[in-house]
Amino acid sequence: MEKEYLVKKWLNNDLTDAESKAFNALEDAELYQEIIEESQRFNGNINAEVASFKTLDEKLVSKENTSIHWLKLVSGLAAVLVIGFTLFKLTNKDQINSFTTTLAQNETITLPDNSIVNLNELSELEFDSSNWDDNRLLDLKGEAFFDVEKGKRFDVTTDFGKVSVLGTEFNVLSRDSIFKVSCYEGLVQVAYNDNEVKLPAGTELVLSSGKALKSNIVVAEPYWLKEMSVFENTPFATVIKELEKQYNIKVTYPSDLKMNFTGAFVHNNLENALISISKPLKLTYAIQSTNEVIIRNE
């Protein structure tokens, strides 16, 4: 039997018993097997050191009566090694972790260093865990509360700015045209529009319409973690928009109702929430259906 015929069938794992005996009797059988074994050492779980193709090629070239067919075969086997190396590289690419929350959904995420992220509703979080210990970096759209383990620099990037810490508790809101960073423990650095601001515990920075305001906070954690929405001298229309989002309802109210609201409402009881926002402003309400509410002047 011709060598090339046997080798081709061997590569396809298609040798008969008789052909297998003939192949094993070939002078170069052990060398072919060695090349294949080297190529199979590539996988996504180990860092294999494979003999260079030059070394294998020299072994083949040293054989007598090497023909052009065998050179083509060696080139094909070399391609196997190249493919194996490519697969190895692909299986070790960046490991991107992505999280998305829907309306009225919160999610708790444990990062590779055991830092904790509470991701608020309608938010997106993404980070690369392949080199996390040396590059603690996350991308955030929406709102999240971070309880960061001490270690190397921890960065949160948003569309409006970047927040950097070493280990602390802080909240970041980056949605619509609002960028707000609240520090509850430790020290936070906020970078935005070529500016840098340091926030110690008990302070927050609000960036809205290009204007920045730094103020004090007295709470121990964001209200949304307690399933509450809190407002201070906020336009009533903004309060209603938040109520509609939290309860997935449609609220109708007088268009000439121009007043501000200071207070809060809960996220787990619509009746209580309506009482909270209507009674202080001397308004009445009526629940028309499971998703429709009417608010009127008394």
Side-chain angles (χ1 to χ4, degrees), residues 61-186:
V61 172
S62 66
K63 299 292 181 178
E64 296 180 356
N65 301 321
T66 300
S67 68
I68 187 65
H69 297 295
W70 302 119
L71 290 177
K72 290 180 179 179
L73 176 61
V74 170
S75 298
L77 294 175
V80 173
L81 293 177
V82 172
I83 293 172
F85 180 73
T86 302
L87 290 174
F88 171 76
K89 295 293 288 184
L90 288 175
T91 55
N92 284 273
K93 63 182 180 180
D94 293 344
Q95 299 175 25
I96 303 301
N97 299 263
S98 300
F99 301 88
T100 302
T101 53
T102 58
L103 183 66
Q105 177 197 8
N106 297 340
E107 183 168 353
T108 301
I109 303 159
T110 302
L111 302 177
D113 61 351
N114 290 321
S115 295
I116 303 295
V117 181
N118 292 100
L119 191 63
N120 201 2
E121 62 177 358
L122 301 174
S123 301
E124 299 176 17
L125 184 75
E126 185 175 280
F127 64 92
D128 179 4
S129 62
S130 62
N131 191 32
W132 178 256
D133 289 340
D134 293 323
N135 188 25
R136 301 199 297 177
L137 174 66
L138 307 96
D139 292 319
L140 172 68
K141 296 182 184 299
E143 185 171 20
F145 177 78
F146 298 85
D147 185 354
V148 180
E149 292 291 320
K150 291 184 178 179
K152 292 187 176 181
R153 185 185 177 107
F154 186 103
D155 294 320
V156 180
T157 61
T158 74
D159 291 337
F160 300 101
K162 182 167 72 171
V163 183
S164 302
V165 300
L166 294 178
T168 188
E169 292 183 357
F170 63 100
N171 191 81
V172 179
L173 170 62
S174 178
R175 182 179 288 135
D176 300 327
S177 60
I178 301 296
F179 179 48
K180 180 168 70 173
V181 181
S182 308
C183 181
Y184 298 92
E185 180 182 286

Side-chain angles (χ1 to χ4, degrees), residues 7-267:
V7 172
K8 286 181 178 179
K9 294 203 67 177
W10 171 69
L11 288 172
N12 292 326
N13 197 27
D14 193 32
L15 290 173
T16 65
D17 290 343
E19 290 169 341
S20 181
K21 291 180 180 179
F23 174 81
N24 290 331
L26 292 176
E27 182 181 6
D28 298 328
E30 292 184 2
L31 182 57
Y32 303 143
Q33 186 64 46
E34 178 184 350
I35 295 174
I36 293 301
E37 289 176 353
E38 291 291 343
S39 68
Q40 291 176 342
R41 290 174 59 189
F42 285 106
N43 59 61
N45 299 319
I46 61 173
N47 296 320
E49 294 184 1
V50 181
S52 67
F53 177 71
K54 180 179 179 181
T55 301
L56 299 178
D57 187 37
E58 289 174 351
K59 291 182 181 179
L60 284 176
V61 172
S62 66
K63 299 292 181 178
E64 296 180 356
N65 301 321
T66 300
S67 68
I68 187 65
H69 297 295
W70 302 119
L71 290 177
K72 290 180 179 179
L73 176 61
V74 170
S75 298
L77 294 175
V80 173
L81 293 177
V82 172
I83 293 172
F85 180 73
T86 302
L87 290 174
F88 171 76
K89 295 293 288 184
L90 288 175
T91 55
N92 284 273
K93 63 182 180 180
D94 293 344
Q95 299 175 25
I96 303 301
N97 299 263
S98 300
F99 301 88
T100 302
T101 53
T102 58
L103 183 66
Q105 177 197 8
N106 297 340
E107 183 168 353
T108 301
I109 303 159
T110 302
L111 302 177
D113 61 351
N114 290 321
S115 295
I116 303 295
V117 181
N118 292 100
L119 191 63
N120 201 2
E121 62 177 358
L122 301 174
S123 301
E124 299 176 17
L125 184 75
E126 185 175 280
F127 64 92
D128 179 4
S129 62
S130 62
N131 191 32
W132 178 256
D133 289 340
D134 293 323
N135 188 25
R136 301 199 297 177
L137 174 66
L138 307 96
D139 292 319
L140 172 68
K141 296 182 184 299
E143 185 171 20
F145 177 78
F146 298 85
D147 185 354
V148 180
E149 292 291 320
K150 291 184 178 179
K152 292 187 176 181
R153 185 185 177 107
F154 186 103
D155 294 320
V156 180
T157 61
T158 74
D159 291 337
F160 300 101
K162 182 167 72 171
V163 183
S164 302
V165 300
L166 294 178
T168 188
E169 292 183 357
F170 63 100
N171 191 81
V172 179
L173 170 62
S174 178
R175 182 179 288 135
D176 300 327
S177 60
I178 301 296
F179 179 48
K180 180 168 70 173
V181 181
S182 308
C183 181
Y184 298 92
E185 180 182 286
L187 181 68
V188 170
Q189 177 178 291
V190 183
Y192 67 96
N193 299 338
D194 297 326
N195 297 309
E196 284 190 355
V197 176
K198 286 184 170 57
L199 297 177
T203 60
E204 71 178 11
L205 175 75
V206 179
L207 181 65
S208 179
S209 301
K211 296 182 179 179
L213 176 64
K214 184 177 177 181
S215 60
N216 296 326
I217 52 177
V218 294
V219 296
E221 61 182 9
Y223 286 109
W224 64 265
L225 289 178
K226 300 178 181 180
E227 296 188 335
M228 294 179 63
S229 292
V230 180
F231 309 91
E232 182 176 352
N233 199 30
T234 303
F236 189 70
T238 302
V239 177
I240 293 301
K241 184 178 180 180
E242 177 69 10
L243 184 73
E244 289 178 327
K245 184 182 71 173
Q246 291 296 335
Y247 286 96
N248 193 25
I249 59 174
K250 175 62 179 176
V251 179
T252 302
Y253 61 96
S255 59
D256 60 348
L257 196 61
K258 307 294 184 182
M259 57 180 66
N260 289 354
F261 174 75
T262 296
F265 68 75
V266 296
H267 297 169

